[in-house]
Amino acid sequence: MTPSGTHAGPHAGRGDASDADDLDVEEALALVRAPRSDRTDRADRTGRADQADRADQTGRTGHAPARPAGHEHPHDRATPWPEAREIAARAARRATRRPTLSVALSDALGLVLAAPLDALSDLPSFDTSAMDGWAVAGPGPWQIRDGGVLAGHAPPEPLTDGEAVRIATGARVPTGVTAVLRSEHGRTGPQDRLHATSEMSHGQDIRPRGQECRRGDQLLPTGTLVTPAVLGLAAAAGYDTLTVVPRPRAEVLVLGDELLTEGLPHDGLIRDALGPMLAPWLRALGSEVIAVRRLGDDAQALRRAITTSRADLIVTTGGTAAGPVDHVHPTLDRIGAELLVDGVAVRPGHPMLLARTKADQHLVGLPGNPLAAVSGLLTLAEPLLRALAAHPAPEPYRTPLREAVQGHAHDTRLVPVVLRGERAVPLHYSGPAMLRGIATADALAVVPPGGAAQDAGMELLDLPWDTAGIGVCFT
């Protein structure tokens, strides 16, 4: 097959209809997988429908023309893109509940609290100085006592009215102190006398015991995402470990005899782009990747790998269509898996799938084309992993386009964009087989069927490392 998105015209790889070749192949595969009784009728009308589709894609960004009632198109059997994402999230919520974990603070970043974070003591646990300066008792001027009070030291001697003592930030305030006079607000005179140079109030710059919370107060509820600030609060509250929802375990099965793991492409063989990409991407989505296995086009090996996997999510690459070595569908049939999504109305990535293989395990089948696989990852794997990890769904947001994007006649399109100012700029090289565009993208724009005009507000899907850094995802 000639990879789609390789056209040499001036708009090649942009947010346009450059994936027309890919549509031909996927239409044919949809017909192959359709029931035999439907094929003749569909084959007859697919040519007519495709002509109308392509005419619509090449010249306009308006809505696709309606088809006559009773004329089913292969696109109609695909799950709409928003619904596919909802199904994936719902499937995870219905999976067998995984036991919670108690982990050290150092291992909790990016996880979700499975129990409330209650205060183990008052915060602060004693009256402390909020500033460097002098602890004073009563009205001034004050006689300065020798020595000083430092944080972390033994309880200081009480003060009596008219006395002052040097004190550091965070130090325990001596009994009898009425305020802390900041260093810049005090002046020392003869015979070690301290004078205030500005107005001072009772209790000034003292953090009283329990100011932030009392023992037993709930600091954070169940379901809170553990961020660096949460780790700091937990440590301040006296926690050494946190009870959390475990990180979902993912396993990647790379399919295809034509894939090389090193060197230049040769003799019909190509480099595997998905094996190196998927594991870190899944980690950035918050999962623990327990294995990346290369199986080639071996149906028995695929079945054995799926049925023996300990992962919460199995991700396969390629083999989701109906070609002679596309073993994913037949294997899922043989093991009695429940197919939840079989094709999504999205470009690229139409032949993705989601299946429940066990009560506590799911499989996401990604197309073999690299950008199509990314589409499948963000459409099905991301909401599934998010729900498994109990992460809250990110708030959707929209950004206007700097230029128009042509769309598919019936399907949603995911187009790589960069953010420039307050506009999203569609990128070149966005064909299903290309990664050059997504490699420099900030997000994917969700382009509705029919396309989008310049300045139209588009929903954006952030890339996980764009918002949180590689290796952990907070969304």
Side-chain angles (χ1 to χ4, degrees):
M1 179 182 80
T2 302
S4 61
T6 58
H7 306 286
H11 300 292
R14 299 199 64 144
D16 55 18
S18 62
D19 55 356
D21 290 352
D22 191 63
L23 302 186
D24 290 339
V25 173
E26 291 182 3
E27 292 290 320
L29 294 175
L31 287 170
V32 169
R33 201 159 63 234
R36 183 176 299 274
S37 59
D38 293 345
R39 292 180 190 170
T40 302
D41 180 53
R42 282 187 188 156
D44 178 63
R45 66 176 179 265
T46 297
R48 296 194 300 271
D50 281 351
Q51 287 179 349
D53 290 351
R54 291 196 178 91
D56 183 74
Q57 291 177 61
T58 53
R60 296 181 290 119
T61 59
H63 294 292
R67 290 187 299 277
H71 282 249
E72 182 192 10
H73 189 282
H75 290 118
D76 297 336
R77 301 186 298 112
T79 304
W81 183 79
E83 183 182 338
R85 287 173 58 81
E86 291 174 6
I87 290 172
R90 191 163 58 244
R93 290 192 290 267
R94 291 178 178 175
T96 301
R97 187 170 182 175
R98 297 174 300 146
T100 60
L101 291 177
S102 179
V103 301
L105 295 186
S106 58
D107 296 325
L109 185 65
L111 301 179
V112 167
L113 294 181
L117 190 76
D118 296 333
L120 302 179
S121 67
D122 298 343
L123 282 182
S125 55
F126 46 79
D127 293 350
T128 63
S129 176
M131 291 288 173
D132 293 333
W134 291 272
V136 300
W142 303 272
Q143 183 67 42
I144 300 175
R145 180 193 289 179
D146 289 340
V149 183
L150 300 177
H153 284 230
E157 292 294 322
L159 290 186
T160 58
D161 281 358
E163 287 188 315
V165 66
R166 274 281 185 186
I167 194 167
T169 301
R172 184 189 297 242
V173 172
T175 303
V177 169
T178 53
V180 169
L181 180 67
R182 301 184 186 189
S183 297
E184 62 269 28
H185 294 164
R187 174 180 58 82
T188 57
Q191 300 177 337
D192 289 331
R193 301 286 286 179
L194 173 67
H195 301 266
T197 59
S198 64
E199 292 292 326
M200 188 178 61
S201 59
H202 190 278
Q204 178 176 304
D205 289 325
I206 294 176
R207 291 190 63 209
R209 176 175 181 167
Q211 181 185 53
E212 187 166 3
C213 64
R214 290 292 184 180
R215 180 179 178 179
D217 287 351
Q218 185 181 105
L219 303 177
L220 296 170
T222 298
T224 299
L225 185 67
V226 179
T227 64
V230 170
L231 292 176
L233 177 61
Y239 283 84
D240 299 318
T241 63
L242 292 175
T243 302
V244 294
V245 178
R247 204 178 298 278
R249 296 165 301 176
E251 181 169 7
V252 179
L253 305 180
V254 181
L255 312 182
D257 289 339
E258 75 280 13
L259 302 177
L260 295 169
T261 59
E262 60 183 14
L264 294 174
H266 63 87
D267 301 323
L269 303 176
I270 60 173
R271 280 296 297 271
D272 170 28
L274 297 182
M277 177 175 71
L278 291 181
W281 201 311
L282 289 165
R283 291 189 188 100
L285 290 176
S287 68
E288 173 193 354
V289 179
I290 60 176
V292 177
R293 292 199 267 172
R294 302 177 187 278
L295 304 183
D297 290 318
D298 186 330
Q300 291 184 345
L302 176 60
R303 178 173 181 172
R304 186 164 52 250
I306 293 174
T307 55
T308 60
S309 175
R310 299 179 296 105
D312 301 299
L313 172 63
I314 301 169
V315 177
T316 63
T317 68
T320 57
V325 291
D326 290 336
H327 299 305
V328 175
H329 279 93
T331 300
L332 293 174
D333 287 342
R334 291 188 190 103
I335 67 174
E338 180 185 0
L339 206 54
L340 304 177
V341 174
D342 188 11
V344 177
V346 67
R347 304 291 171 163
H350 180 275
M352 66 181 74
L353 64 84
L354 169 65
R356 180 181 290 114
T357 52
K358 301 174 186 174
D360 59 352
Q361 184 184 77
H362 291 83
L363 181 145
V364 167
L366 302 178
N369 272 334
L371 189 57
V374 169
S375 174
L377 200 64
L378 296 180
T379 299
L380 297 176
E382 187 273 335
L384 183 85
L385 289 171
R386 175 171 24 87
L388 283 174
H391 285 192
E395 287 293 325
Y397 72 100
R398 305 177 77 86
T399 298
L401 292 169
R402 197 168 77 178
E403 56 194 70
V405 175
Q406 292 195 350
H408 187 271
H410 313 290
D411 296 352
T412 299
R413 292 197 70 218
L414 301 182
V415 178
V417 296
V418 290
L419 302 179
R420 295 290 181 265
E422 298 187 4
R423 293 285 188 272
V425 183
L427 290 168
H428 294 256
Y429 308 106
S430 59
M434 297 180 174
L435 288 175
R436 189 171 171 182
I438 193 70
T440 58
D442 297 316
L444 289 174
V446 182
V447 179
Q454 182 180 357
D455 295 326
M458 289 292 98
E459 179 184 351
L460 296 189
L461 298 179
D462 285 323
L463 301 177
W465 47 86
D466 187 58
T467 54
I470 292 185
V472 66
C473 178
F474 296 128
T475 52

